[in-house]
Amino acid sequence: MIGRMDDHLPSTEAAVTACRAIADEYAREMSVTHDIGADQTSRRSAAGVGVTTDPDGSLPHEAFVEFGGLPRVTVRLFPEDDALITVEGIDFPDLPRDEVPAFLHAVFGDRAYVKARRFPPGYRLVVPLPADRTYKEYVPMFGLSPWLSSRVR
């Protein structure tokens, strides 16, 4: 099944397909915007005017995926095999593209939580993945949405 934790995602399109499968599994709406060509992708500003291909002749493909419902989740898939996932306004940059399905399953499967610290006061959004992999990002004290607040431990 596409979108499971062990799948290798060789392309941006494969990752989008995995995201669609996860959206179906969790009954979420999903929209996708595709940017194709060196002149369209966000990391190719040095491509030059009118240049659409990489030096090897390939077309770089970037996609932006937005899921409906709560938590608010977006995924930006880059041609360089990495992704930026945003959960309720908290960015998780530079995730390997192959980690995207496991990350989404953890968030939509209610395994993600917010860890509170008393001193110094602070919060971190923690997303545990299989095989003892964990992603953590700082949450501003005034940035706790109702969804994040409901997951404070």
Side-chain angles (χ1 to χ4, degrees):
M1 173 190 216
I2 291 178
R4 280 291 153 201
M5 285 43 138
D6 299 333
D7 288 349
H8 170 62
L9 302 172
S11 67
T12 299
E13 192 58 39
V16 169
T17 301
C19 288
R20 282 189 209 286
I22 292 166
D24 289 344
E25 183 177 338
Y26 291 97
R28 292 188 166 253
E29 291 184 17
M30 184 183 110
S31 64
V32 181
T33 304
H34 296 275
D35 294 318
I36 300 174
D39 60 338
Q40 298 295 312
T41 56
S42 64
R43 294 185 178 171
R44 299 290 206 277
S45 59
V49 177
V51 177
T52 59
T53 61
D54 282 343
D56 66 356
S58 66
L59 285 172
H61 178 195
E62 185 175 295
F64 180 76
V65 179
E66 188 169 12
F67 292 92
L70 290 176
R72 294 182 318 256
V73 176
T74 62
V75 180
R76 181 167 295 280
L77 299 160
F78 298 106
E80 293 87 7
D81 297 335
D82 66 329
L84 164 68
I85 299 181
T86 303
V87 178
E88 287 292 310
I90 308 304
D91 289 341
F92 288 83
D94 302 323
L95 275 92
R97 182 168 52 209
D98 291 343
E99 298 274 286
V100 169
F103 191 99
L104 293 174
H105 280 292
V107 171
F108 296 145
D110 287 331
R111 291 189 305 274
Y113 61 93
V114 175
K115 183 172 175 119
R117 189 174 59 195
R118 287 191 191 268
F119 189 79
Y123 297 99
R124 291 213 178 271
L125 177 55
V126 179
V127 182
L129 303 185
D132 293 328
R133 297 181 326 261
T134 304
Y135 289 96
K136 302 174 187 176
E137 286 296 331
Y138 172 75
V139 178
M141 297 263 300
F142 300 107
L144 284 176
S145 68
W147 185 86
L148 290 169
S149 293
S150 71
R151 275 143 185 86
V152 172
R153 291 186 182 174

